[in-house]
Amino acid sequence: MHSPVGIRDVAERAGVSPGTVSNVLNRPEKVSAATRAKVEEAVRELGFVRHGSASTLRAGHSKTIGLSVIDIGNPFFTDVTAGVEEVASELGYAVILSNSAGSRTKEERNLLVLAEQRVRGVLITPSDEDPTRLDRLRDRGIRVVLVDHPAHRADQCSVAVNDIVGGTTAVSHLLSGGAESIAYVTGPLTIRQCIDRRVGAERALGGAPLRVIEMAAMTPRAGQQAAAKMIAEGDLPDAIFCANDLLALGMLRGLTHAGVRVPDDVALIGYDDIDFAAASAVSLSSIRQPTHQLGRVATELLLDECDHPDTHAHQQIMFQPELVIRESTR
Ligand code: RIB
């Protein structure tokens, strides 16, 4: 078996010193275009592949960033990840995706693995409000940008969507359709997005009661379970706001299976505007988030902070949500 092609083999083939090859690989700005072309040609001809951990040790970090999301089963995060990967690959970075599944313990373990991999920075939708895990990353020199979660300190970048406005928009739309009794079906009220959407919903009601049904997960199954619970109690509202589209699609299935007509008996609105919302048998009204853009902008902020720390200016960017009206509301 041939020994792997090394830097010395590339140097000999290109007619330069091993140090010049190392500069082309790690500090290409220090090498003339003609020399870079000769070395790159030799790399291609010989099939040279640098040893990742060696270059990582030398540079003190790898050309990778970490992305920690709450639920990789949610198309919302799939779209965010696509935006992240688009910008990262444009700038020569790989992305290591990790899923906290809403668990602080799992998230902490994933962040440790990312630190051991010497990632340049981490994009994270935190599983809760406790910032200590992120402080530990910063202490290791790893930059952090919050995604879909507003930062409350000037030295922390974040990209989020105004979920309070989103909640108000959703319930105002239900009220405009004549709703008199409204229920909010949500995931765990430890998740900041769920908390803020509830705050917005209650603002729209101006003190009128909002029935809150908290589920352990934000999945279609949880939405179906919430429907069954409300039907079993014989206490259906005339409108339901679900904290995300997955809950709403499950709710729609549960209501429909029980013979409840949407929107004639119960109006229904979700949140995110994932692709399945429009494709549903009764197309789902929703609150659209600029998901792909969230991923792109967060990555641009992170890599600017990583690659240009001296000129980087921290930003807390807040996008506005948008109402999308379909068949599930009047
Ligand atoms: O992660 C839970 C929810 O928060 C997602 O569905 C999306 O709405 C995010 O903002």
Side-chain angles (χ1 to χ4, degrees), residues 6-326:
I7 280 189
R8 293 188 181 288
D9 303 309
V10 173
E12 190 177 335
R13 171 67 67 93
V16 299
S17 72
T20 299
V21 174
S22 177
N23 278 338
V24 169
L25 295 175
N26 297 300
R27 288 170 295 281
E29 68 281 359
K30 295 181 182 295
V31 185
S32 72
T35 302
R36 272 207 315 268
K38 281 197 299 184
V39 170
E40 286 162 357
E41 177 61 24
V43 165
R44 276 192 298 276
E45 286 172 357
L46 296 173
F48 169 75
V49 176
R50 68 165 73 183
H51 193 300
S53 55
S55 61
T56 296
L57 283 174
R58 193 170 32 256
H61 51 75
S62 63
K63 290 279 275 187
T64 54
I65 57 174
L67 170 61
S68 176
V69 298
I70 292 181
D71 176 7
I72 52 172
N74 183 343
F76 169 87
F77 289 105
T78 311
D79 293 346
V80 169
T81 303
V84 169
E85 199 283 328
E86 215 168 70
V87 172
S89 57
E90 285 164 8
L91 297 175
Y93 279 81
V95 181
I96 300 175
L97 173 63
S98 66
N99 179 38
S100 68
S103 155
R104 172 182 170 147
T105 309
K106 196 166 185 296
E107 181 181 273
E108 203 149 20
R109 192 169 58 239
N110 291 344
L111 293 178
L112 185 58
V113 170
L114 292 174
E116 287 163 356
Q117 294 300 314
R118 295 283 196 286
V119 295
R120 281 300 298 281
V122 171
L123 299 163
I124 182 167
T125 304
S127 58
D128 64 21
E129 295 299 299
D130 178 354
T132 50
R133 297 188 297 288
L134 308 183
D135 293 338
R136 278 201 287 276
L137 284 178
R138 286 188 204 90
D139 294 346
R140 292 169 175 252
I142 297 174
R143 320 286 181 166
V144 177
V145 172
L146 300 182
V147 182
D148 190 37
H149 195 107
H152 301 299
R153 39 189 288 188
D155 66 345
Q156 168 65 62
C157 286
S158 66
V159 180
V161 180
N162 193 322
D163 285 313
I164 295 176
V165 167
T168 299
T169 304
V171 169
S172 298
H173 173 57
L174 294 175
L175 291 170
S176 70
E180 292 176 353
S181 59
I182 296 177
Y184 174 52
V185 177
T186 179
L189 287 170
T190 49
I191 296 177
R192 200 258 331 137
Q193 294 90 324
C194 296
I195 297 166
D196 286 356
R197 290 167 199 171
R198 174 184 182 175
V199 168
E202 289 172 336
R203 279 194 189 165
L205 289 169
L210 173 71
R211 183 174 161 202
V212 176
I213 296 166
E214 182 179 6
M215 305 303 289
M218 300 178 83
T219 59
R221 178 187 299 274
Q224 271 189 266
Q225 290 166 345
K229 172 180 163 59
M230 297 166 92
I231 291 166
E233 289 168 355
D235 179 14
L236 272 178
D238 52 26
I240 298 170
F241 165 35
C242 289
N244 78 355
D245 287 344
L246 295 181
L247 279 168
L249 292 169
M251 175 62 68
L252 178 62
R253 182 178 172 84
L255 293 174
T256 307
H257 275 204
V260 177
R261 297 169 303 161
V262 174
D264 298 343
D265 299 328
V266 176
L268 176 65
I269 188 167
Y271 206 107
D272 293 340
D273 196 29
I274 60 176
D275 292 343
F276 297 114
S280 175
V282 175
S283 59
L284 184 66
S285 295
S286 188
I287 301 295
R288 175 175 297 156
Q289 299 202 70
T291 318
H292 195 84
Q293 200 178 1
L294 273 175
R296 284 190 60 90
V297 171
T299 310
E300 287 163 355
L301 277 177
L302 178 68
L303 294 183
D304 182 64
E305 186 172 349
C306 292
D307 295 343
H308 313 289
D310 300 336
T311 57
H312 175 75
H314 294 302
Q315 297 183 61
Q316 294 77 36
I317 297 173
M318 184 70 81
F319 287 105
Q320 293 307 314
E322 175 195 350
L323 173 62
V324 179
I325 302 173
R326 297 194 178 98

